[in-house]
Amino acid sequence: MTTSTTRTELDAQTLWRQDRDHFIHPFTDYSTFHEQGCDLITDSDGIYVQDAHGNRFIDGIAGLWCVNVGHGRAEIGQAMADQATRMAYFSTFNNLSNAPAAELAAKLSELAPAHLNHVFYSCGGSAANDATIRLVHYYFNRLGKPNKKRIISRNNAYHGTTYMAATLTGIASNNWEFDTLDHLVTHLSEANCYRRPEGMSEAEYCDHLVAEFEATVERIGADNIAAFIAEPIMGAGGVLVAPEGYHARMQAVCRANDILFIADEVVTGFGRLGHFFASEKVFDTQPDIINCAKGLSSGYAPLGATLISDELFEVLGTPQGKGGVLSTGFTYSGHPVSCAAALKNIEIIEREGICKNVREVGPYLEERLKTLSHHATVGDVRGSHFMMCLENVADKATKELLPVEARVGDRVAFEAQQRGLIIRPVGHLNIVSPPLIWTRDTIDRVVDILDEAFGAATKTLREDGFL
């Protein structure tokens, strides 16, 4: 561990109470939280994190899809400290800027598909998606097409939890009893190859999904639709990999109907699939906009970015009239410390060949995780490279799910953590999205732990009458 001090058990108990009593945690089950509280992670190093009691774990989720270069990178901390000492903050409004923001914008333009040469900064993925929709609506207003407001998203998509981003998100449970802006968003079917209609090939399934989009455009009217937004691979919605050719064909529908194509690469960007951006390199698309966050700074500082095409910027960068300004943005747009962290993070990814590591080691992670299919509950192992998911079912033949009260994902995650590995439970799913520096040896250790964890969870499910 990188810490120079060891917390006492008293410290741990005090922190636990402070956290439970005062910190409103996102995505937390408050039926158990008030009694159980949280596990406090206090230290980290490389692929490991440590809790307040000194227990050490392999980080199987990269913090939250984001610590791509691993924990405890002193040079990122030093770059942030140097920038904070020199100038921690100054406004980027009204023709003011700072060096890290300018350098990072140029670097992102270099890494992105060739036509994406303009960067709008935000503070994270939700804000990036929210800001993008506001800019898209403004763009069409400027073109004299004010009716083009509707955004097409997908069921089980995850785009964030700010008001607009939450509406884009198609995971029903995310918005239980929350309001959404439904008049602005229409959801299509997700591309879920595991649960595609019986007897339908993947190619036929792709035809089916594209036809649904075309019918939706015809029903709503292309003149009323501004954009289609999609994650190259769905993240929190189940790590769903679309059938081959899906994204390129969806983009073709967009092009034919004057609909913008937005790629939400908040998760897939910065190496998770083996490239800085997956849209063009992996999925053969050229989005009008790419949104990114998470791996952009490897989570060392909050930062989001919207990468905008030359064609769009030609409109966005033209004032509405004399004295007109692009009147949107954030106090922390282009925050110099966050941008300094991102620049050093990208330097590390390039210098250490981390994208190459993902391309070489990622298929081994896929292969090894598939060996867990022998467990009674593991119905599907899917994903790509360092973005993987195991779907738990009650019956592999019918793909029937276990009841919610079985808490199968939580059981597996608990058993894994007891053995020194943190993975993410999402309902009946278990997600593995590690730092991009895992090796084959690490993967072997992880799969051994998961093998035991699934076995133990299956045992308790049987004891409790769920299997």
Side-chain angles (χ1 to χ4, degrees):
M1 286 298 116
T2 55
T3 181
S4 59
T5 61
T6 302
R7 297 188 186 277
T8 66
E9 284 298 309
L10 180 61
D11 291 332
Q13 283 299 111
T14 299
L15 285 168
W16 181 87
R17 283 195 302 271
Q18 290 172 334
D19 182 85
R20 183 199 60 184
D21 294 346
H22 303 292
F23 182 7
I24 301 175
H25 284 264
F27 288 94
T28 291
D29 183 351
Y30 281 92
S31 67
T32 59
F33 176 80
H34 298 297
E35 181 180 347
Q36 296 176 3
C38 279
D39 297 323
L40 284 117
I41 303 300
T42 57
D43 300 282
S44 63
D45 182 31
I47 65 168
Y48 297 99
V49 294
Q50 181 172 300
D51 69 17
H53 301 288
N55 300 307
R56 198 173 193 229
F57 308 95
I58 297 172
D59 176 7
I61 58 174
L64 190 61
W65 310 96
C66 58
V67 187
N68 290 7
V69 299
H71 299 275
R73 292 280 191 162
E75 57 187 304
I76 298 181
Q78 189 61 55
M80 295 169 67
D82 290 346
Q83 181 59 48
T85 302
R86 184 172 188 172
M87 184 192 72
Y89 172 76
F90 203 77
S91 171
T92 56
F93 287 25
N94 305 112
N95 298 338
L96 297 167
S97 192
N98 63 74
E103 291 174 33
L104 180 59
K107 186 63 179 178
L108 292 175
S109 299
E110 173 192 319
L111 295 171
H115 64 296
L116 297 174
N117 290 306
H118 308 277
V119 179
F120 183 87
Y121 290 116
S122 53
C123 302
S126 294
N129 284 320
D130 226 286
T132 290
I133 303 308
R134 189 161 196 242
L135 289 170
V136 164
H137 287 163
Y138 175 75
Y139 168 78
F140 281 115
N141 289 342
R142 297 296 320 282
L143 290 179
K145 300 178 180 181
N147 291 332
K148 289 179 77 69
K149 291 290 186 288
R150 181 75 60 163
I151 309 298
I152 307 298
S153 184
R154 301 182 295 171
N155 295 331
N156 280 315
Y158 183 83
H159 297 294
T161 60
T162 52
Y163 230 113
M164 187 68 214
T167 307
L168 297 172
T169 291
I171 303 171
S173 60
N174 275 29
N175 291 324
W176 283 347
E177 306 216 20
F178 281 97
D179 290 339
T180 50
L181 304 170
D182 295 328
H183 65 288
L184 291 174
V185 178
T186 295
H187 289 90
L188 302 174
S189 300
E190 73 273 28
N192 187 339
C193 289
Y194 178 57
R195 295 189 175 275
R196 68 182 184 270
E198 190 173 351
M200 188 179 283
S201 69
E202 284 201 20
E204 291 168 335
Y205 183 47
C206 189
D207 292 341
H208 169 75
L209 293 169
V210 173
E212 181 192 14
F213 186 25
E214 291 172 329
T216 301
V217 172
E218 184 175 352
R219 175 174 57 83
I220 297 173
D223 290 345
N224 298 312
I225 301 173
F228 170 67
I229 185 169
E231 304 151 273
I233 293 179
M234 280 187 167
V239 190
L240 301 178
V241 182
E244 186 175 357
Y246 167 87
H247 288 285
R249 292 182 62 186
M250 296 294 273
Q251 183 180 39
V253 175
C254 290
R255 292 284 185 266
N257 291 280
D258 189 27
I259 296 170
L260 298 178
F261 185 84
I262 303 169
D264 181 347
E265 291 223 40
V266 168
V267 170
T268 58
F270 300 91
R272 190 146 297 279
L273 300 182
H275 301 277
F276 273 99
F277 294 102
S279 292
E280 187 172 51
K281 298 286 188 181
V282 181
F283 298 99
D284 192 29
T285 59
Q286 295 77 41
D288 298 291
I289 296 172
I290 290 178
N291 290 329
C292 56
K294 293 189 183 291
L296 170 57
S297 67
S298 279
Y300 280 70
L303 185 63
T306 296
L307 281 54
I308 294 172
S309 72
D310 295 330
E311 182 180 357
L312 267 68
F313 184 70
E314 187 175 346
V315 176
L316 298 176
T318 302
Q320 310 97 317
K322 188 174 182 179
V325 298
L326 183 65
S327 51
T328 190
F330 308 97
T331 298
Y332 296 131
S333 291
H335 193 286
V337 176
S338 294
C339 290
L343 284 165
K344 184 58 67 172
N345 173 64
I346 292 169
E347 178 188 316
I348 291 169
I349 293 173
E350 290 184 318
R351 185 180 72 230
E352 297 185 4
I354 287 176
C355 287
K356 182 182 178 183
N357 182 65
V358 173
R359 293 195 299 271
E360 292 177 349
V361 179
Y364 185 70
L365 177 60
E366 297 174 37
E367 174 190 331
R368 293 288 284 117
L369 286 176
K370 286 176 181 175
T371 66
L372 300 172
S373 296
H374 71 88
H375 287 284
T377 65
V378 179
D380 192 31
V381 181
R382 59 175 176 262
S384 179
H385 293 79
F386 277 37
M387 187 175 180
M388 299 296 297
C389 177
L390 300 99
E391 179 167 345
N392 295 285
V393 296
D395 186 306
K396 293 189 181 187
T398 65
K399 303 177 185 178
E400 178 188 355
L401 295 176
L402 289 151
V404 172
E405 56 268 24
R407 301 177 68 92
V408 58
D410 289 328
R411 289 178 190 245
V412 174
F414 172 79
E415 296 292 349
Q417 190 163 332
Q418 292 296 104
R419 292 161 174 80
L421 168 68
I422 294 176
I423 59 172
R424 187 180 179 197
V426 181
H428 62 288
L429 309 173
N430 288 109
I431 291 173
V432 179
S433 57
L436 307 186
I437 57 174
W438 272 14
T439 64
R440 284 175 172 81
D441 287 344
T442 304
I443 290 167
D444 288 338
R445 290 170 57 201
V446 164
V447 173
D448 286 345
I449 291 171
L450 287 173
D451 198 18
E452 292 184 13
F454 275 99
T458 300
K459 182 175 182 290
T460 65
L461 286 164
R462 286 187 173 131
E463 290 170 348
D464 293 341
F466 291 112
L467 285 175

